[in-house]
């Protein structure tokens, strides 16, 4: 049985919540120790090769959610509603339902006060929602740290309160100053999940390609690399190319053979 929303919310104040992004069944199978797999629209960059998340569609998110569900054993699955998929309450509920039908346990959407009524419509339809405050990649003109000024901090604290009242079960805080993330975490009744928001959040999320050192285009300061898989992959590909060119691969262990007697009969027949 996989983790439930209740399991995750009950971890607040007791145990840190671990979240990694996931987009395909092979990788998700390898990440089964984490509490939550987030099918993030960061798929736009790390899976589809776009510059940002703004070209990601519902069809993309449905496909990545299905693949994630096929690989998941233990983790809760939260899927991002992509840009332009939650502009009206009706669209938000219809599209959330599509992600749930594809295998998500909950959906995530970006924004504060301005989307409170949308969050409420989704939660009232029975679908759990994760909020996302701080840097909002779907609409941000520049990726800058949030919560640096008193006014901006007050706005974030207020947004966290409003979306919690609208029913979110958890809130991602992206690139929020550690002090403000700590205040929101202390004041909030639901768990906060930080990315670039310091250690005091109730949990942490990283893009799996960043933490494995697979994605080389950008390296955000907060994205600790636990491996440098890109180098290992390049070295493996180099060895493969060399071995094929030099006829070292495939070797006898990688081949299938016919019986000698059958082979000699064949040779006689085809001369
Ligand atoms: O799309 C994503 O991967 C995200 C995380 C960075 C929180 O929203």
């Amino acid at each position: 049985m996989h983790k439930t929303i209740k399991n995750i919310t009950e971890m607040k104040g007791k145990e840190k919540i671990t979240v990694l992004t996931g987009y395909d069944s092979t990788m998700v199978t390898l990440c089964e120790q984490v509490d939550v797999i987030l099918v993030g629209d960061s798929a736009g960059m790390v899976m589809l090769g776009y510059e940002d998340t703004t070209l990601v569609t519902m069809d993309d998110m449905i496909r990545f959610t299905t693949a994630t569900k096929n690989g998941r054993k233990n983790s809760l699955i939260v899927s991002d509603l992509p840009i332009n998929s939650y502009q009206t309450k009706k669209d938000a509920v219809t599209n959330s339902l599509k992600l749930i039908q594809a295998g998500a346990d909950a959906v995530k959407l970006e924004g504060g006060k301005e989307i409170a009524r949308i969050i409420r419509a989704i939660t009232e339809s029975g679908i759990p929602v994760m909020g996302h405050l701080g840097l909002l990649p779907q609409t941000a003109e520049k990726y800058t740290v949030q919560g640096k000024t008193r006014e901006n901090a007050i706005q974030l604290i207020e947004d966290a309160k409003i979306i919690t009242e609208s029913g979110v079960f958890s809130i991602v805080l992206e690139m929020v100053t550690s002090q403000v993330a700590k205040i929101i975490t202390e004041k909030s009744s639901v768990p906060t999940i930080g990315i670039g928001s310091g250690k005091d959040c109730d949990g942490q999320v990283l893009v799996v390609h960043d933490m494995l050192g697979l994605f080389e285009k950008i390296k955000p300061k907060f994205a600790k690399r636990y491996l440098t898989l890109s180098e290992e992959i390049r070295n493996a590909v180099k060895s493969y190319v060399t071995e094929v060119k030099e006829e070292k691969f495939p070797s006898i262990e990688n081949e299938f053979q016919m019986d000698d007697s059958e082979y000699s009969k064949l040779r006689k027949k085809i001369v």
Side-chain angles (χ1 to χ4, degrees):
M1 184 56 195
H2 63 79
K3 297 250 161 75
T4 62
I5 302 285
K6 188 162 178 279
N7 295 148
I8 301 303
T9 53
E10 285 178 353
M11 290 170 82
K12 185 172 174 82
K14 295 193 190 112
E15 183 186 339
K16 293 282 183 182
I17 301 162
T18 54
V19 187
L20 277 176
T21 61
Y23 320 97
D24 70 282
S25 67
T26 305
M27 188 73 91
V28 166
T29 304
L30 297 173
C31 296
E32 65 184 12
Q33 298 109 303
V34 295
D35 300 305
V36 181
I37 294 285
L38 171 66
V39 188
D41 58 0
S42 49
M45 283 101 96
V46 298
M47 299 297 285
L48 301 173
Y50 300 147
E51 285 302 310
D52 55 36
T53 61
T54 57
L55 293 177
V56 177
T57 64
M58 266 307 292
D59 283 348
D60 295 329
M61 294 310 296
I62 288 171
R63 188 57 62 88
F64 290 125
T65 300
T66 305
T68 296
K69 180 211 51 191
N70 291 341
R72 151 300 271 276
K73 268 204 207 121
N74 305 317
S75 322
L76 184 87
I77 298 177
V78 180
S79 291
D80 263 341
L81 280 164
I83 190 165
N84 298 331
S85 70
Y86 52 96
Q87 280 162 318
T88 65
K89 289 198 227 175
K90 188 164 172 282
D91 281 356
V93 173
T94 308
N95 287 322
S96 298
L97 195 59
K98 287 185 185 167
L99 294 177
I100 298 292
Q101 282 162 349
D105 301 300
V107 300
K108 175 167 83 59
L109 64 170
E110 297 180 5
K113 186 175 164 197
E114 71 288 359
I115 58 154
R117 65 189 185 91
I118 301 280
I119 292 175
R120 189 174 289 285
I122 305 172
T123 55
E124 282 179 352
S125 78
I127 298 173
V129 174
M130 181 179 264
H132 185 146
L133 297 175
L135 173 73
L136 307 178
Q138 290 178 0
T139 45
E141 277 166 24
K142 267 176 54 195
Y143 286 13
T144 50
V145 178
Q146 305 294 302
K148 281 187 128 179
T149 63
R150 201 176 357 150
E151 293 76 23
N152 184 218
I154 290 168
Q155 170 80 63
L156 286 167
I157 295 163
E158 184 63 13
D159 278 340
K161 182 169 174 279
I162 293 171
I163 65 170
T164 304
E165 285 163 2
S166 302
V168 297
F169 75 93
S170 173
I171 305 171
V172 165
L173 297 176
E174 181 161 356
M175 278 175 73
V176 173
T177 53
S178 305
Q179 298 96 323
V180 176
K182 185 169 192 276
I183 296 172
I184 295 174
T185 303
E186 283 166 359
K187 287 174 85 67
S188 173
S189 57
V190 299
T192 58
I193 309 292
I195 176 159
S197 301
K199 67 173 176 49
D200 294 307
C201 296
D202 296 303
Q204 296 293 327
V205 53
L206 282 179
V207 171
V208 70
H209 288 61
D210 288 340
M211 74 82 104
L212 294 176
L214 264 175
F215 189 67
E216 297 178 315
K217 260 197 200 160
I218 37 174
K219 190 191 172 307
K221 169 179 157 126
F222 56 77
K224 179 170 174 182
R225 280 190 180 162
Y226 287 80
L227 260 183
T228 315
L229 260 193
S230 55
E231 264 174 35
E232 300 214 26
I233 291 174
R234 266 200 203 91
N235 288 338
V237 172
K238 191 170 167 215
S239 303
Y240 167 69
V241 169
T242 307
E243 288 195 4
V244 172
K245 302 269 184 205
E246 294 177 358
E247 296 186 24
K248 291 185 180 146
F249 174 82
S251 65
I252 195 84
E253 310 92 85
N254 311 114
E255 293 181 6
F256 303 97
Q257 303 279 336
M258 232 179 167
D259 269 356
D260 284 351
S261 67
E262 196 63 15
Y263 179 56
S264 60
K265 281 184 218 152
L266 172 72
R267 294 300 311 201
K268 277 183 203 136
K269 190 141 189 134
I270 59 169
V271 277

